[in-house]
Amino acid sequence: MNTALTKLTGVRYPLVQTGMGWVAGPRLVSAAANAGALGILASATMTTDQLRSAVREVKSRTDAPFGVNLRADAGDAGDRVRLIIDEGVKVASFALAPSKELIGELKAAGVVVIPSIGARRHAEKVAAWGADAVIVQGGEGGGHTGEVATTVLLPQVVDAVDIPVVAAGGFHDGRGVAAALCYGAAGVAMGTRFLLTSDSTVPGPVKARYLAAAVKDVTVTTAVDGLPHRMLRTELVASLERAGRVRALARAVRHAAGFRKVSGLSWSRMVRDGLAMKHGKDLSWSQVLLAANTPMLLKASMVEGRTDLGIMASGQVAGVIEDLPSCAELVDRVMAEAHAVLERLRSLDALPPPG
C-alpha cells in the first residue's frame, strides 16, 4: 500500500509503532520494522550512550528504515539529534514540537522529521518550520493526551496542513486504517496495539492486565504528573488520586532522585530540563516536580512487572484488544483487513442506483 507516508519514509506499509518509554526498545522496533511498519525507538528513558547502543542493536536486527523519538525540551536534545544523524537513522519523531533550529539541522542531514501534535495550531506551527509530516493524536490515545477525539481532530489537521498526516488514538485494526485513509491521513500510528504483541518485552503479568481491561477500565488522570494522562485504572491510580498535594510532592522528589540515577542526568541538567518543560508547557513548579513520577512509575510496570507499584499508560483500544500476535502477524492481519474494507468501499460504486 503506497501512501505519502510510505514514500516519505521508505517503509512497506502506512503503519507506525510509536515510541513508548521503557517499551519501544530494540526488539520491538526491529520486529515492527521487519514486519513493514515504521518502528520508533523511545529514547527519553535512555542515556546518550544507551541510545547509541540501542540504535546500533536495531541496525543489527533489521535493514528496514526506523526512527528515534526525542524529547524536544531535553537539555541534551542537540546531542541526541547529532547522534541519530551520525548513526544514519531515517526518522526523528518528537513528543513535543521541536524548535525550528532542530528541524533545520535534521532536514539538512536528510533525516525525516515527524513531530507528534495534539492540536491544529501545533500542526500548523511545525509545518511552517519545515516538518516533513505530523502524527496527530486524538484524546483516545494513551499517555499524555488531549480532549479532542481523533475523528474531530484528524480532519481539522488534514485540512490545515499540506504535509502527510498520520492518525493516532483509537487505532488497532484494518478498519481503522481504512477509516483514517478516508479522512485523508497518510497512515496510522499505534502504541497500545504494538505493546500487546509477543515481540514486546513488557512482562507477561502486565500484558495480562491490559488484555483483561474493558474500555471503561481506561481512564484519564492528572494525579501522576499534573497533566492529563490516559492509563489503566488500578488501585495505585486510585490511591494517587486520593493523595494530598504534600504527599504527592514528597513522592515526586523520591522519584526524581530515582530517575536521575537511572538516566545518568545530573541535578543541574534535570533542573535545566525542568525549566524548559515549565516554559514549554506553562506548568507550575509543582507540576514540573510531579513529572518525575512518570518515568519511574512506568518503569515499575513496563520493566519490573509490578502492576501494584507502576502505572500502565494505555489507549482506550486496550478494552477491545484480546490477543498477543507477533508484529509480523499483526501487520499482515491489519493490512489484509484494510485492503478488504477498501475493496468493499470501491464495490459500492459498482452498485446500481436505488429505484
Side-chain angles (χ1 to χ4, degrees), residues 39-341:
I40 303 291
L41 188 68
S43 76
T45 55
M46 300 178 184
T47 66
T48 52
D49 288 341
Q50 289 169 340
L51 174 58
R52 189 180 298 277
S53 176
V55 167
R56 291 178 178 179
E57 183 177 346
V58 175
K59 290 164 66 176
S60 74
R61 290 170 173 258
T62 183
D63 293 326
F66 68 95
V68 170
N69 182 260
L70 303 169
R71 267 188 57 191
D73 60 348
D76 62 351
D79 295 335
R80 291 171 184 256
V81 162
R82 286 183 285 276
L83 186 156
I84 68 171
I85 291 173
D86 292 343
E87 293 294 331
V89 175
K90 176 71 175 180
V91 174
S93 74
F94 291 86
L96 297 172
S99 66
K100 185 177 182 179
E101 291 72 25
L102 284 183
I103 293 176
E105 184 176 357
L106 286 161
K107 287 176 63 69
V111 180
V112 175
V113 181
I114 309 180
S116 294
I117 58 93
R120 171 179 173 169
R121 67 182 184 278
H122 298 154
E124 292 172 331
K125 178 174 70 174
V126 296
W129 287 351
D132 296 292
V134 288
I135 295 176
V136 178
Q137 178 174 306
E140 302 94 322
H144 292 118
T145 193
E147 298 178 350
V148 182
T150 303
T151 51
V152 176
L153 179 61
L154 177 60
Q156 275 191 317
V157 176
V158 167
D159 290 344
V161 299
D162 294 325
I163 56 178
V165 175
V166 180
F171 297 99
H172 71 287
D173 62 9
R175 293 174 297 177
V177 173
L181 295 176
C182 290
Y183 272 112
V188 162
M190 301 184 292
T192 306
R193 178 64 274 194
F194 276 102
L195 183 156
L196 293 173
T197 60
S198 60
D199 294 303
S200 163
T201 59
V202 172
V206 177
K207 290 180 181 178
R209 288 295 297 268
Y210 278 94
L211 293 177
V215 172
K216 291 185 177 180
D217 295 325
V218 186
T219 188
V220 176
T221 182
T222 59
V224 174
D225 57 12
L227 296 170
H229 202 147
R230 187 175 290 284
M231 61 187 66
L232 296 188
R233 174 165 288 284
T234 63
E235 284 300 317
L236 173 65
V237 172
S239 69
L240 292 176
E241 290 176 338
R242 290 192 300 265
R245 176 63 61 179
V246 173
R247 287 176 58 194
L249 291 178
R251 184 183 65 247
V253 170
R254 294 196 303 272
H255 286 153
F259 183 58
R260 187 185 73 85
K261 184 176 180 180
V262 169
S263 66
L265 296 176
S266 65
W267 281 111
S268 60
R269 172 55 62 83
M270 290 182 68
V271 169
R272 289 198 297 273
D273 286 357
L275 285 168
M277 184 185 301
K278 184 176 186 298
H279 173 71
K281 297 181 181 179
D282 193 25
L283 304 180
S284 68
W285 274 113
S286 294
Q287 287 175 311
V288 171
L289 190 53
L290 283 169
N293 283 329
T294 303
M296 300 311 293
L297 288 174
L298 284 170
K299 182 175 184 285
S301 56
M302 300 305 164
V303 178
E304 299 164 5
R306 296 297 302 270
T307 58
D308 57 332
L309 295 179
I311 60 171
M312 290 165 277
S314 177
Q316 284 184 304
V317 294
V320 296
I321 294 174
E322 299 178 344
D323 61 352
L324 296 171
S326 68
C327 285
E329 291 167 341
L330 173 64
V331 169
D332 286 348
R333 184 171 74 196
V334 167
M335 293 311 302
E337 290 172 349
H339 281 293
V341 171

Side-chain angles (χ1 to χ4, degrees), residues 339-352:
H339 281 293
V341 171
L342 293 172
E343 188 61 33
R344 287 199 299 271
L345 293 176
R346 280 191 288 267
S347 72
L348 297 178
D349 290 334
L351 295 176

